[in-house]
Every structure is written in structure tokens, then in C-alpha cells.
């Protein structure tokens, strides 16, 4: 769930000012405070292509100097950009909160261009109803760095740069550049993530006794480091529910089949699927050994 980002907020790969909302009252109180201080990103728990991920900026009003110095009013105005298609909307704080909790047709929600229904808290925490609130990192314009993992093995590093100067690297709105593990460009990030962060993340998520997913990703966003001129990377998302074999997905649906995949792409994809198979067998072997 997206609130994993809250559980890792005090780690070096997290953002300390990350919050989760499960009830309308929590959203109203928390968002009015965080939004008064700095641009934010509000992320729904459901969805997989940027729908319900909103970049938020304050309109016609200055941000307060320190977190907690001010709280927004219902009629304060905000600019919103939804990450699935980069469309922009302008609403009051109250309209945004109503959209998030009750949907675009609810009384007081205003008029929405989003093609998705809001209602992000529907069902409550037990059914995945939640919103995560993080600060906006402007260097997302440079792209995300995806660590494609098979269990605890790094299989590939993918740089996803938003197309056309946009801010969204999801939903097919990005150019992909592929790197092998150990590449010079991301050697430090890879080493830190694989050798240091992953065991700590599993502990923070109360999963230290469970195996890692067979196929999953850690998606990182760059930000300015504490030392001038340096870059740190923070996790924007963990994904293990909708990760695909991209070179095979390109021929899914329609009249195309695997026969339409180029030899080079087929070979590269099989390296991934073969590793997944080997990893699955290894995980089952370890599990069976523990039960004997």
C-alpha cells in the first residue's frame, strides 16, 4: 500500500514530511497544513498509471515560512495537475477535499475535468482507502530511476524521463533508457538500495520474516542533497502489483503475438523471466526447508 512511504519516512531513502490520511477529518486537517507550507503531491492508494496522483500548488497566496505557521481556509485556491495525463485544474481547497472523499458529483465539489471518480478513501483503511501526502520534488522533471528487482537481485535499472517537458513519468508519458546493474551512472544508488535499504525497508514494513516479491520495483526521484551540488534519491513508490515484462507487453492485445517481438527484445525479456523462475524455485526451497 502507498502508506509504506510513511513507514520509511525516517530512512535516508524516505521523506520525513510524509503523511497518510484514512479519514476525511485527517485529510482536511493535514492537507490544509502541508499545503500552506509548500507544494505537495497527493497520491491515492489505488490505480497504476498516474490516475489519482495530484501535484498541488497554492494559487494567489504565499506559502508560510515554517511548517505549521499557517493553515489554509476552505476557499483558498490551488492549482492541480493529475499525473495520468498532465491535465491542469484549478479548485478551492474545499472542492479538492470533497472530490477526494465523495467524488466529482458530490455537492460542493465544483466541476472536474478528471476522467476518474475520486472517492479515494472509500472503503476505509481495511479496503485500501487512503491518501499519501508528500512534498513535491521539482527534479521529477529530470525523470525517475526505477530499480527493477527479482527478489533481492537487481535485474535492470530504468530511467523514465517525462515527455515534452512534463512532470509525469507514469502512464506511458515518458522516454525510457535502460541500464545494466553496476552501471557507473547509478552505482552508488544501486549499492545503497540493495545492500543497505532493502533489509531496513522490510523491517520498517514489518515484513522482515517474509520473502521479497518475485518481481517488484523501487522508483526513485532525485532531489538536491544536503551538501550543495550533490543529489540524493528518495523512494516515490514501491510497486509489486502491476509490474510487467515491458518488451512482451508491447505485443499484448490486438493481432500481435510474441512472434512480433524482435530477437534482441525476446532474448532480453527471457533473461528476466528466467531469473524470475529460478528465484521462485529458490524461495520455495527455502520455505520448504523451514517447515521440515
Amino acid at each position: 500500500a502507498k502508506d509504506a512511504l510513511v513507514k520509511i519516512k525516517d530512512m535516508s531513502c524516505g521523506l520525513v514530511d510524509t503523511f497518510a490520511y484514512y479519514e476525511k477529518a485527517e485529510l482536511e486537517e493535514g492537507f490544509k497544513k502541508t499545503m500552506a507550507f509548500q507544494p505537495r503531491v497527493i497520491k491515492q492508494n489505488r490505480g497504476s498509471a498516474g490516475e489519482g496522483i495530484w501535484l498541488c500548488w497554492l494559487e494567489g497566496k504565499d506559502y508560510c515560512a515554517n511548517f505549521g505557521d499557517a493553515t489554509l481556509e476552505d476557499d483558498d485556491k490551488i492549482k492541480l495537475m493529475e499525473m495520468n495525463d498532465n491535465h491542469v485544474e484549478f479548485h478551492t481547497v474545499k472542492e479538492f477535499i470533497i472530490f477526494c472523499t465523495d467524488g466529482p458529483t458530490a455537492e460542493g465539489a465544483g466541476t472536474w475535468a478528471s476522467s476518474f471518480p475520486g472517492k479515494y478513501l472509500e472503503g476505509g483503511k481495511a479496503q485500501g482507502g487512503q491518501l499519501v501526502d508528500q512534498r513535491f520534488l521539482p527534479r521529477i522533471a529530470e525523470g525517475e530511476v526505477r530499480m527493477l528487482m527479482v527478489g533481492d537481485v537487481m535485474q535492470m535499472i530504468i530511467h523514465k524521463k517525462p515527455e515534452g517537458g512534463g512532470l509525469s513519468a507514469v502512464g506511458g508519458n515518458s522516454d525510457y533508457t535502460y541500464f545494466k546493474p553496476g552501471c557507473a551512472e547509478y552505482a552508488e544508488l544501486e549499492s545503497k538500495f540493495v545492500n543497505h535499504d532493502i533489509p531496513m525497508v522490510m523491517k520498517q514494513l514489518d515484513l522482515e520474516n517474509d520473502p521479497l516479491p518475485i518481481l517488484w520495483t523501487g522508483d526513485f526521484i532525485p532531489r538536491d542533497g544536503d551538501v550543495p551540488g550533490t543529489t540524493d534519491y528518495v523512494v516515490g513508490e514501491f510497486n509489486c502489483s502491476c509490474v510487467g515484462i515491458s518488451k512482451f507487453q508491447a505485443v499484448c492485445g490486438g493481432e500481435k503475438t510474441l512472434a512480433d517481438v524482435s530477437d534482441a527484445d525476446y532474448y532480453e525479456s527471457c533473461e528476466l523471466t528466467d531469473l524470475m523462475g529460478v528465484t521462485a524455485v529458490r524461495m520455495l526451497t527455502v520455505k520448504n526447508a523451514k517447515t521440515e
Side-chain angles (χ1 to χ4, degrees):
K2 285 289 196 301
D3 58 1
L5 299 175
V6 178
K7 296 178 181 179
I8 67 163
K9 67 184 182 68
D10 295 316
M11 293 179 55
S12 60
C13 62
L15 289 173
V16 67
D17 53 335
T18 302
F19 306 94
Y21 309 128
Y22 306 98
E23 304 288 344
K24 184 175 182 177
E26 293 175 337
L27 169 62
E28 188 167 0
E29 180 182 358
F31 179 69
K32 286 181 175 181
K33 185 182 293 186
T34 60
M35 191 70 244
F37 176 52
Q38 61 187 174
R40 306 297 294 181
V41 183
I42 300 296
K43 305 179 181 183
Q44 72 152 324
N45 189 43
R46 310 177 180 103
S48 61
E51 67 272 19
I53 299 178
W54 294 94
L55 307 189
C56 311
W57 296 268
L58 195 54
E59 278 285 302
K61 191 173 186 177
D62 293 333
Y63 295 103
C64 62
N66 303 291
F67 179 70
D69 282 355
T71 298
L72 296 184
E73 302 296 333
D74 282 344
D75 59 355
D76 281 324
K77 295 178 175 59
I78 51 178
K79 173 185 174 182
L80 305 167
M81 178 185 289
E82 191 172 15
M83 291 291 87
N84 66 306
D85 58 7
N86 287 325
H87 86 275
V88 173
E89 306 197 28
F90 295 87
H91 289 278
T92 65
V93 170
K94 182 178 180 179
E95 288 173 343
F96 182 55
I97 291 173
I98 291 175
F99 173 83
C100 289
T101 57
D102 302 309
T105 61
E107 183 178 353
T111 302
W112 287 80
S114 175
S115 56
F116 295 94
K119 299 183 181 180
Y120 304 129
L121 305 184
E122 194 170 52
K125 183 176 182 180
Q127 296 183 32
Q130 61 177 254
L131 284 167
V132 167
D133 178 351
Q134 286 189 308
R135 87 180 76 150
F136 171 62
L137 299 175
R139 289 183 62 183
I140 184 64
E142 300 171 22
E144 296 180 358
V145 179
R146 165 165 284 189
M147 300 290 179
L148 181 62
M149 305 292 299
V150 178
D152 59 358
V153 177
M154 175 76 66
Q155 203 275 335
M156 184 180 294
I157 301 170
I158 306 165
H159 182 257
K160 303 163 58 180
K161 183 175 176 59
E163 292 179 340
L167 295 172
S168 174
V170 298
N173 301 317
S174 53
D175 292 321
Y176 287 62
T177 304
Y178 299 90
F179 299 88
K180 293 289 187 182
C183 67
E185 291 87 345
Y186 300 109
E188 183 176 350
L189 175 60
E190 176 187 346
S191 176
K192 180 177 176 295
F193 183 51
V194 174
N195 299 321
H196 179 265
D197 289 343
I198 290 177
M200 293 185 63
V201 165
M202 295 296 283
K203 184 176 182 179
Q204 291 299 114
L205 300 181
D206 296 320
L207 296 172
E208 62 263 43
N209 295 319
D210 294 331
L212 289 159
I214 290 178
L215 183 64
W216 63 286
T217 72
D219 296 345
F220 288 82
I221 302 171
R223 72 178 182 97
D224 293 340
D226 296 332
V227 177
T230 64
T231 295
D232 291 333
Y233 288 89
V234 296
V235 174
E237 182 178 36
F238 293 117
N239 192 343
C240 61
S241 63
C242 55
V243 186
I245 319 303
S246 58
K247 301 296 178 63
F248 287 167
Q249 284 180 308
V251 298
C252 288
E255 298 180 356
K256 291 185 177 181
T257 70
L258 287 178
D260 296 296
V261 179
S262 70
D263 289 346
D265 286 351
Y266 191 88
Y267 176 80
E268 184 176 291
S269 297
C270 284
E271 287 186 319
L272 173 56
T273 55
D274 288 351
L275 179 59
M276 290 169 61
V278 169
T279 301
V281 171
R282 175 166 56 86
M283 287 180 175
L284 289 172
T285 300
V286 171
K287 180 179 178 182
N288 290 337
K290 290 181 178 180
T291 60
E292 290 178 354

